[in-house]
Amino acid sequence: MSDHRFSPMPGEEPGCHLSKKAKVCLGILLCVLVAVTIVAVVVGVLKWPRAPPHREWNGTGTTPHFSEIVLGRCYTYTQVLWPELRHKDCGQIGKAFTNAFLSKDPCNSSEQDYQLLLKLTNQTTPCHTSVFWSKSNQLAHLYTRVQQDMFTLEDTLMGYIADGLNWCGDAGSSEMNYQSCPHWGKDCINNPKSVFWDTVSKRFAENACGVVQVVLNGSISNTFDKNSTFGRVEIHNLHPEKVSRLQAWVMHDIGGVRSHSCSSPLINDLKFILSQRKISFTCQDDYRPIKFLQCVKNPDHSSCSSII
Ligand code: N1C
C-alpha cells in the first residue's frame, strides 16, 4: 500500500525541507532582488526620455485652454450667432488651427501653414460691409456691434475664433508652449501669431468689395502707419476691380489731442497709395455715428452736447 500521509510525523517540520542556513540565504537573495528592482525602476524613471523643455521667448505664452476656447468660439459663432454657417466642422477647424503651428519652429511660421485653416473657415460677406481699423480696435468693434450688418475681421468666423489669443509650439515637441512665445520685435517676425494675422488680414482685404471703410485713430502720432497690418497688408490686397472706394473715418478721443485729421500729410500718403492702386478715397473727421458711441461713454463732455 502507498503511504498516504497528510500530517507530519512527530519531529518532522511541516512541508518544508530547507535548512535554516538555506532559508537565510534565500531571504538575503530576495532582499537583494527587491532592492535591485527598486533601483532599476528609480533609474528608469529618472532616465526616461522626456520631451525637452520648450525654448524661452520674450512674448506671452499660449493662452491656457487654447484648444477648448477655439472649439467653443467656433461652435458659438456657427451654431448660435450665424446659424447659416452651422455646416462648418468645428472639430476640423480646431485641428487645422493647432496643426498649423504644433511641432514647428515658432520663428519659421508661414502663410502655407494656415492654408487648410483658411479653407475650412472661408466665408463670404456682402459688398459694402467691410470695416478695417488701425490703432482703433475697441472703437471699430463698438461700431460694428451697433451696425450689425458691418463686419470687421473679428466679426467673421476666423477673426472671432482667434481674437485676443496667443499661441505657439516648438519644433522639438508636439505640445503647445504655454510658458512663452516669440515676441515680434524681440525674437522674430515670422512667429505663428503675427503670420496668422497677416494671412487672415490679407484674405479679408482680398474678399472686400464695394465701398469699404476704415476707422483710424486721429489722437495718436501714427494715425496711418505704413508698417501696420492695415498699411502694410490690407490696402495692398484690396482688389481695385471690386473695391470702388475706401472711406476713412478719422476719430479723435473725446477730450484727447488731435494729432492728425483728414487734411494731414499722413492721410495724403494713404490717399496717394490708393490712387496708385486705382481705388478712390474719401475721408471724414469724427464721423457722427461713431462719435455718438464715444459720447455714450463720455456723455458730459462739452463736445458731446452739440452733436445731436
Ligand atoms: O496693425 P493694425 O492695427 O493696423 O491691424 C489692424 C487691421 C484690421 O483692419 C484688421 O482687419 O488688421 C487686421 N487685424 C486684426 O483683425 C486683428 N485682430 C487682432 C490685425 N491685427 C489684429 N489683431 C492683433 O492686433 C494682432 O496681434 C496685431 O498685431 C495687432 C494689430 O493692431 P493695430 O496695430 O492696432
Side-chain angles (χ1 to χ4, degrees):
M1 277 240 311
S2 58
D3 182 12
H4 296 291
R5 287 185 307 167
F6 294 104
S7 50
M9 295 294 284
E12 197 180 359
E13 277 192 29
C16 183
H17 305 280
L18 292 176
S19 68
K20 217 171 187 173
K21 202 173 161 190
K23 280 182 194 163
V24 171
C25 282
L26 205 68
I28 292 173
L29 196 74
L30 220 74
C31 285
V32 170
L33 251 163
V34 169
V36 167
T37 313
I38 291 172
V39 170
V41 168
V42 170
V43 169
V45 166
L46 290 178
K47 293 227 165 170
W48 192 259
R50 268 179 293 180
H54 287 295
R55 278 192 65 175
E56 277 177 33
W57 305 102
N58 292 293
T60 315
T62 303
T63 307
H65 310 289
F66 176 86
S67 300
E68 292 83 355
I69 294 172
V70 165
L71 208 58
R73 284 184 178 180
C74 180
Y75 281 120
T76 301
Y77 193 92
T78 58
Q79 304 299 318
V80 183
L81 301 175
W82 297 96
E84 49 270 59
L85 293 182
R86 69 173 79 81
H87 61 277
K88 293 280 185 200
D89 186 337
C90 287
Q92 292 262 55
I93 289 171
K95 266 191 225 139
F97 201 161
T98 48
N99 286 341
F101 65 92
L102 280 189
S103 307
K104 294 182 184 177
D105 176 359
C107 276
N108 196 21
S109 193
S110 71
E111 233 186 270
Q112 194 51 39
D113 294 332
Y114 289 106
Q115 287 315 300
L116 177 58
L117 179 62
L118 252 64
K119 196 175 151 200
L120 294 171
T121 55
N122 79 318
Q123 180 179 5
T124 44
T125 50
C127 287
H128 313 294
T129 62
S130 302
V131 177
F132 300 94
W133 53 269
S134 192
K135 324 288 173 202
S136 57
N137 190 333
Q138 224 201 350
L139 193 56
H141 293 105
L142 276 179
Y143 173 49
T144 58
R145 177 160 294 193
V146 174
Q147 297 286 331
Q148 294 236 319
D149 48 351
M150 308 299 287
F151 291 85
T152 63
L153 176 52
E154 289 66 34
D155 298 312
T156 67
L157 174 60
M158 190 67 264
Y160 183 85
I161 289 176
D163 194 20
L165 301 181
N166 290 312
W167 62 92
C168 68
D170 206 308
S173 155
S174 55
E175 316 258 301
M176 301 191 196
N177 187 348
Y178 293 102
Q179 266 68 53
S180 64
C181 286
H183 183 277
W184 188 88
K186 295 180 190 159
D187 296 309
C188 54
I189 55 173
N190 287 328
N191 62 73
K193 183 178 158 182
S194 303
V195 170
F196 169 87
W197 284 114
D198 282 2
T199 307
V200 296
S201 300
K202 180 179 166 199
R203 174 177 70 171
F204 184 59
E206 284 170 346
N207 286 344
C209 52
V211 177
V212 300
Q213 307 179 24
V214 62
V215 180
L216 298 174
N217 185 344
S219 290
I220 55 168
S221 59
N222 50 346
T223 300
F224 169 62
D225 183 351
K226 283 181 186 166
N227 296 317
S228 67
T229 316
F230 173 67
R232 181 173 43 82
V233 178
E234 292 178 326
I235 51 172
H236 299 285
N237 283 286
L238 294 171
H239 284 195
E241 331 72 83
K242 290 197 293 178
V243 175
S244 51
R245 174 162 61 94
L246 175 72
Q247 170 69 60
W249 313 119
V250 177
M251 302 306 301
H252 300 95
D253 295 345
I254 303 282
V257 289
R258 299 177 68 86
S259 312
H260 292 284
S261 65
C262 285
S263 51
S264 296
L266 204 58
I267 299 298
N268 261 330
D269 292 349
L270 172 58
K271 188 176 180 175
F272 179 68
I273 295 170
L274 287 161
S275 72
Q276 282 186 317
R277 302 214 57 236
K278 308 262 182 287
I279 295 170
S280 75
F281 176 76
T282 45
C283 183
Q284 189 178 318
D285 287 305
D286 296 313
Y287 178 50
R288 265 165 46 100
I290 303 180
K291 172 95 185 192
F292 284 145
L293 297 172
Q294 293 175 303
C295 284
V296 170
K297 286 196 173 175
N298 299 270
D300 300 327
H301 194 269
S302 56
S303 75
C304 288
S305 53
S306 56
I307 62 165
I308 312 277

